Amino acid sequence: MGENTASKNHLPPQAFGVSVDTNPQSSDSKWFDDDGRPKRTGDVWTACAHIITAVIGSGVLSLAWAIGQLGWIAGPAVMLLFSLVTYYTSVLLTSCYRSGDPVNGKRNYTYVDAVRANLGGVKVKICGFVQYLNLFGVAIGYTIASSISMMAIKRSNCFHQSGGKDPCHMNATPYMIGFGIAEILLSQIPGFDQLHWLSLVAAVMSFTYSTIGLGLGVGKVIENKRVRGSLTGISIGTVTQTQKIWRSFQALGDVAFAYSYSMILIEIQDTIKAPPLESKTMKKATLISVAVTTLFYMFCGCFGYAAFGDQAPSNLLTGFGFYNPYWLLDIANAAIVIHLVGAYQVFCQPLFAFIEKEAARRFPDSNFVNKDVKISIPGLRPCNINLFRMVWRTLFVVTTTVISMLLPFFGGVVSLLGAFAFWPLTVYFPVEMYISQKKIPKWSTRWLCLQTLSVACLIISITAAAGAIAAIIHDVKTTKPFHTSY
């Protein structure tokens, strides 16, 4: 993610009355890329920071529970399978950043642009609907997860002070409102290209709490002096046969959610400088990021399951499988909150940019939509505020916060989001675009293999969605809107 601070919401400088000479021989060409936009300065490490911020999210905390439903054989195998599929389809997707020539072809700035260039037709609308709806859902999921972590800090201190005698129930609503206020402020950052510092902080935080969760899991296994769990997962008796089936389906969604980032891959790739080729840099960043996150996932999920067996909590650091050291849990949950604050922005910026681009296209003469207001702050540099951006992004955050108060079901929401996004955004569209771009003959061996992969992943997504919906229905029966307590 480079410091491309002169761009605004993926619109070229010409859209704002700036004269740009895109001739490579021009004396100004060193300041602009081949599309007339300010030079991209991102590299493999900034791309890794964005991917890790997006991938090692709150999903890592549910992996011990997911492995607990599937067991020692299927659990790690499913996680490895998802990592391989995600890496492979992400590599396919990186080649779709430029249309035609991989060096000088037309750039596709967003995922939807790539689908438009390679597939076109109604698939563009379907892709846009699925991508932006999922980004909206991720914002809700992160709001819920952050409030749970904030409450976990207060609850761990409460447990410590009362010696575990006080159940320490509390309402989630104030914490969701606090998270929403923070996001309203951060959402005023104009574009994806100016988030590199936030992604770096969030990536460090994700490693922090993942490492603490891993350390606590290892410590618990040592304390127990044995490895808990079974080859086939949670035992019948602890749950019914029907519950085990639905939970196993939900676990697939949890793992899928833990690897979801393809929906913003093209947007990340659009921040990378060239040479070398953007696709080459992005493939390297994808390999590093998926390998690192899979290693973390395996350790966190497996040691969490080994520590608690059938009693593995749905959220490793807030389900209170661990109570002590309470101060370490506080640090881990604070790191989760900081990470989610950044991850919220990384996921939502493509949606922000889409709405603002459409508004500028439809209302080119509107001062409210297009004009920046310069505000002078004593002691600080003047800042430009776009009124439309401020109003629309504030309303977006308010909406996601209110919906989070109505649906505070961490496990079910995480699983449903993973199931909903995995097949279309991680598998189907990358496969179809690659087939179109490379002109792979229909019914050829390669075409059949790619379609088989797509159909298999569709079945997994449908199965995971069924388990997630069953979990949400169960939670709805026991929860009152705006009065959820933990």
Side-chain angles (χ1 to χ4, degrees), residues 255-267:
V255 178
F257 179 79
Y259 280 101
S260 295
Y261 82 97
S262 296
M263 68 194 80
I264 58 172
L265 185 146
I266 296 292
E267 284 82 350

Side-chain angles (χ1 to χ4, degrees), residues 34-55:
D34 53 4
D35 58 348
R37 299 188 178 189
K39 278 286 186 181
R40 294 159 175 83
T41 57
D43 57 22
V44 65
W45 300 114
T46 58
C48 283
H50 287 306
I51 295 172
I52 290 171
T53 297
V55 179

Side-chain angles (χ1 to χ4, degrees), residues 430-446:
V431 164
E432 291 298 313
M433 285 191 287
Y434 183 77
I435 288 174
S436 174
Q437 189 178 64
K438 300 301 181 182
K439 296 180 172 57
I440 298 174
K442 197 172 185 179
W443 304 113
S444 65
T445 302
R446 195 173 188 185

Side-chain angles (χ1 to χ4, degrees), residues 215-407:
L216 290 172
V218 172
K220 188 73 172 179
V221 171
I222 294 172
E223 179 186 326
N224 294 338
K225 296 181 180 179
R226 67 186 180 94
V227 173
R228 292 181 175 176
S230 66
L231 296 179
T232 57
I234 192 167
S235 56
I236 304 300
T238 305
V239 294
T240 65
Q241 181 69 50
T242 301
Q243 287 175 325
K244 181 174 175 61
I245 293 172
W246 288 121
R247 284 181 169 216
S248 297
F249 291 170
Q250 185 184 342
L252 295 176
D254 285 356
V255 178
F257 179 79
Y259 280 101
S260 295
Y261 82 97
S262 296
M263 68 194 80
I264 58 172
L265 185 146
I266 296 292
E267 284 82 350
I268 294 174
Q269 192 167 344
D270 189 44
T271 67
I272 295 173
K273 63 185 177 183
L277 290 178
E278 300 92 349
S279 59
K280 183 178 180 180
T281 301
M282 197 63 189
K283 286 174 184 177
K284 185 176 180 181
T286 297
L287 177 61
I288 294 171
S289 301
V290 172
V292 169
T293 53
T294 299
L295 188 64
F296 260 78
Y297 283 176
M298 283 291 189
F299 281 141
C300 289
C302 291
F303 274 104
Y305 182 45
F308 297 106
D310 287 354
Q311 305 305 317
S314 61
N315 188 315
L316 190 60
L317 293 173
T318 63
F320 286 91
F322 302 113
Y323 291 91
N324 288 298
Y326 75 98
W327 55 268
L328 189 59
L329 286 171
D330 289 352
I331 293 174
N333 281 295
I336 292 172
V337 174
I338 296 170
H339 169 258
L340 293 178
V341 166
Y344 185 105
Q345 290 302 314
V346 169
F347 273 100
C348 290
Q349 282 293 337
L351 177 55
F352 292 160
F354 168 74
I355 295 296
E356 287 151 25
K357 182 179 178 180
E358 281 297 300
R361 184 180 65 82
R362 296 191 181 194
F363 307 102
D365 300 322
S366 171
N367 288 334
F368 175 71
V369 172
N370 298 299
K371 187 177 180 180
D372 285 352
V373 177
K374 183 173 287 187
I375 297 178
S376 298
I377 303 175
L380 298 174
R381 293 172 57 188
C383 62
N384 293 325
I385 299 295
N386 180 276
L387 294 178
F388 175 75
R389 181 175 67 226
M390 181 176 66
V391 172
W392 130 250
R393 295 188 182 193
T394 299
L395 289 175
F396 174 88
V397 175
V398 169
T399 302
T400 58
T401 303
V402 171
I403 294 176
S404 299
M405 296 175 191
L406 292 169
L407 300 171

Side-chain angles (χ1 to χ4, degrees), residues 28-110:
D28 290 334
S29 63
K30 66 179 180 179
W31 303 110
F32 297 96
D33 277 327
D34 53 4
D35 58 348
R37 299 188 178 189
K39 278 286 186 181
R40 294 159 175 83
T41 57
D43 57 22
V44 65
W45 300 114
T46 58
C48 283
H50 287 306
I51 295 172
I52 290 171
T53 297
V55 179
I56 301 186
S58 55
V60 69
L61 304 174
S62 64
L63 291 179
W65 182 89
I67 292 180
Q69 311 315 305
L70 299 170
W72 281 118
I73 297 176
V78 165
M79 204 177 299
L80 184 60
L81 176 65
F82 272 91
S83 70
L84 292 174
V85 170
T86 300
Y87 171 69
Y88 178 69
T89 56
S90 295
V91 168
L92 299 184
L93 190 55
T94 60
S95 65
C96 299
Y97 173 63
R98 286 186 183 267
S99 298
D101 185 73
V103 178
N104 299 312
K106 180 182 176 295
R107 295 174 186 264
N108 297 308
Y109 303 117
T110 67

Side-chain angles (χ1 to χ4, degrees), residues 100-266:
D101 185 73
V103 178
N104 299 312
K106 180 182 176 295
R107 295 174 186 264
N108 297 308
Y109 303 117
T110 67
Y111 195 115
V112 174
D113 287 344
V115 174
R116 182 179 293 109
N118 290 282
L119 300 177
V122 70
K123 291 181 180 179
V124 177
K125 294 182 178 180
I126 294 173
C127 173
F129 174 77
V130 173
Q131 182 192 15
Y132 297 130
L133 181 61
N134 192 259
L135 294 176
F136 181 75
V138 168
I140 294 171
Y142 281 2
T143 302
I144 295 171
S146 66
S147 69
I148 294 173
S149 288
M150 285 186 274
M151 286 189 296
I153 295 173
K154 190 169 182 180
R155 289 185 71 197
S156 68
N157 293 330
C158 174
F159 285 146
H160 178 73
Q161 292 169 1
S162 68
K165 297 178 182 178
D166 188 342
C168 303
H169 291 301
M170 57 193 67
N171 196 324
T173 298
Y175 299 94
M176 292 184 184
I177 293 173
F179 182 81
I181 291 172
E183 292 303 338
I184 287 174
L185 297 174
L186 287 171
S187 291
Q188 304 314 312
I189 297 173
F192 213 138
D193 52 312
Q194 297 176 38
L195 285 174
H196 62 283
W197 63 272
L198 190 58
S199 282
L200 289 172
V201 171
V204 170
M205 292 299 104
S206 66
F207 280 119
T208 299
Y209 68 74
S210 297
T211 302
I212 291 174
L214 172 60
L216 290 172
V218 172
K220 188 73 172 179
V221 171
I222 294 172
E223 179 186 326
N224 294 338
K225 296 181 180 179
R226 67 186 180 94
V227 173
R228 292 181 175 176
S230 66
L231 296 179
T232 57
I234 192 167
S235 56
I236 304 300
T238 305
V239 294
T240 65
Q241 181 69 50
T242 301
Q243 287 175 325
K244 181 174 175 61
I245 293 172
W246 288 121
R247 284 181 169 216
S248 297
F249 291 170
Q250 185 184 342
L252 295 176
D254 285 356
V255 178
F257 179 79
Y259 280 101
S260 295
Y261 82 97
S262 296
M263 68 194 80
I264 58 172
L265 185 146
I266 296 292

